[in-house]
Amino acid sequence: MVVSSGGMPSSHTALCVAVTTSVALLHGVGGPLFPVCLAFSLIIMYDATNVRYHAGVQAEVLNVVVEEMLEGHPISEKKLKELLGHTPLQVVGGFILGVVTAIIYHVKTGQLHGWT
């Protein structure tokens, strides 16, 4: 599932939160860059748990409707992708992975200016 959407943990969330955490660690939360990163991360997490997740639920329903109503029709052989978004638990998993990854990276590379 490395190259497809959905699943545990949310890699989009992990990436955005790792960047946001890195910005916080390197530049602090008082500068202009942190709020931009935070807003971007929140939008990504909202999209994953709401917009894309519910689009996947709708695709699942449409697949059943098309299969039952248009049985034998060529269009009934095409299936919409159902695993599009994430559950809240998968997004939380991505959040934790992102924070931990960023902290480990900055501790290992010694890039915590003013923190060490």
Side-chain angles (χ1 to χ4, degrees):
M1 265 247 208
V2 173
V3 293
S4 74
S5 58
M8 177 63 138
S10 169
S11 59
H12 291 94
T13 299
L15 176 64
C16 292
V17 169
V19 169
T20 302
T21 303
S22 292
V23 167
L25 292 173
L26 294 176
H27 303 286
V29 296
L33 190 55
F34 178 76
V36 173
C37 291
L38 180 62
F40 184 71
S41 292
L42 292 173
I43 290 168
I44 293 297
M45 290 185 284
Y46 176 82
D47 178 69
T49 55
N50 289 295
V51 179
R52 289 189 299 126
Y53 177 77
H54 286 67
V57 171
Q58 289 178 354
E60 188 176 343
V61 170
L62 283 171
N63 282 338
V64 170
V65 169
V66 167
E67 185 179 332
E68 290 178 2
M69 293 186 73
L70 299 173
E71 189 175 341
H73 192 279
I75 199 165
S76 67
E77 296 172 15
K78 287 189 172 187
K79 299 287 182 200
L80 297 172
K81 188 173 179 180
E82 296 175 3
L83 187 57
L84 297 174
H86 295 281
T87 65
L89 182 62
Q90 292 168 335
V91 171
V92 169
F95 179 89
I96 293 168
L97 179 63
V99 170
V100 169
T101 301
I103 290 171
I104 289 172
Y105 173 80
H106 290 290
V107 167
K108 290 281 188 186
T109 59
Q111 294 182 5
L112 291 178
H113 303 292
W115 289 76
T116 55

